Amino acid sequence: VSLEAGILQQLDMEQFNSAPAADTVDQQVLPIAEATPSSEPPDPKTCSPREYLEFYIFPVLLPGLAELLHEAEKEKCFEVRRTKFIASDFLTEWLYNKNPKRKDESFTEFFSIPFVKDWLKDHPRPPIPLSLLLLEEEASIIIQSFWRGYRVRCHSEIQELRQWQKKLREERNINKVVKQFWTKQEAK
């Protein structure tokens, strides 16, 4: 069974039935390949681009893309507008670890892959925003604690206490007093 025939079997044909001239659209998008002997793969240096894709690229890439979709679903990429999930990173890691030349080697994380390390030395990434790293519960706790602190600091008694502490710090030069205290403690 050719690759296109396998893909066509998986497609939901109801999508094409609603479009005008569904048969012509189907054939334009995914033409059926003529049967090729699958006994031995063609020579990668002399075969056509189509044969190269069918025999060398797609058998490796399509399972990776399927795994990518499963992982994206786990990361809720289809539910949330922004996520920390980077599809190209996942696919790079997956393809690197599934490489037949690395069959006996252990799993390597994305940032430990040698060519990724080299690339990131020259092209560092900005850090992922905290809003994408935190879970919803963690983010709500931080927001709620900040809001409670803000509401408490708005009370007149607290404002008065903060003003008194500020004045005391300025008059007594509290940083100097603390340094002297610790130097005495260290001398003992």
Side-chain angles (χ1 to χ4, degrees):
V1 176
S2 70
L3 177 67
E4 284 96 4
I7 291 174
L8 282 176
Q9 290 172 356
Q10 294 175 357
L11 287 175
D12 184 12
M13 287 307 191
E14 292 175 7
Q15 294 173 350
F16 295 114
N17 290 341
S18 63
D23 295 333
T24 58
V25 172
D26 184 20
Q27 289 181 0
Q28 288 174 356
V29 174
L30 296 170
I32 304 292
E34 55 278 344
T36 55
S38 60
S39 59
E40 62 181 69
D43 180 26
K45 296 186 192 264
T46 59
C47 67
S48 70
R50 181 185 182 122
E51 289 175 327
Y52 187 81
L53 285 173
E54 286 180 358
F55 288 97
Y56 297 103
I57 303 296
F58 288 150
V60 175
L61 187 60
L62 291 179
L65 290 174
E67 195 66 32
L68 171 73
L69 289 174
H70 289 298
E71 189 65 26
E73 190 174 14
K74 282 183 203 170
E75 296 286 335
K76 299 180 181 177
C77 292
F78 306 120
E79 300 170 15
V80 185
R81 189 174 191 180
R82 292 176 57 212
T83 64
K84 65 180 176 181
F85 181 71
I86 302 172
S88 59
D89 290 357
F90 176 84
L91 193 58
T92 302
E93 179 182 282
W94 191 89
L95 289 170
Y96 183 79
N97 287 307
K98 297 295 180 180
N99 187 343
K101 294 178 183 175
R102 298 190 70 250
K103 194 180 293 185
D104 298 330
E105 296 180 32
S106 63
F107 179 82
T108 306
E109 290 187 13
F110 177 74
F111 292 106
S112 301
I113 298 173
F115 66 85
V116 173
K117 282 182 179 178
D118 294 341
W119 174 261
L120 291 177
K121 282 179 191 171
D122 299 332
H123 308 89
R125 290 184 175 178
I128 297 175
L130 186 61
S131 61
L132 297 179
L133 294 176
L134 293 175
L135 299 173
E136 283 188 36
E137 296 82 25
E138 295 170 334
S140 63
I141 289 171
I142 291 172
I143 292 169
Q144 289 170 1
S145 63
F146 173 80
W147 180 249
R148 278 190 233 109
Y150 171 76
R151 296 297 297 162
V152 167
R153 288 188 296 275
C154 287
H155 291 303
S156 59
E157 301 98 24
I158 303 299
Q159 287 291 329
E160 186 179 325
L161 175 65
R162 294 180 73 196
Q163 291 297 324
W164 177 79
Q165 288 175 334
K166 182 179 177 185
K167 185 178 173 187
L168 187 64
R169 258 186 261 120
E170 290 171 355
E171 287 176 0
R172 291 193 179 176
N173 197 0
I174 194 71
N175 291 335
K176 185 178 176 183
V177 172
V178 169
K179 275 187 183 178
Q180 289 173 351
F181 171 78
W182 284 112
T183 54
K184 286 180 185 176
Q185 291 295 328
E186 290 174 357
K188 290 182 182 177

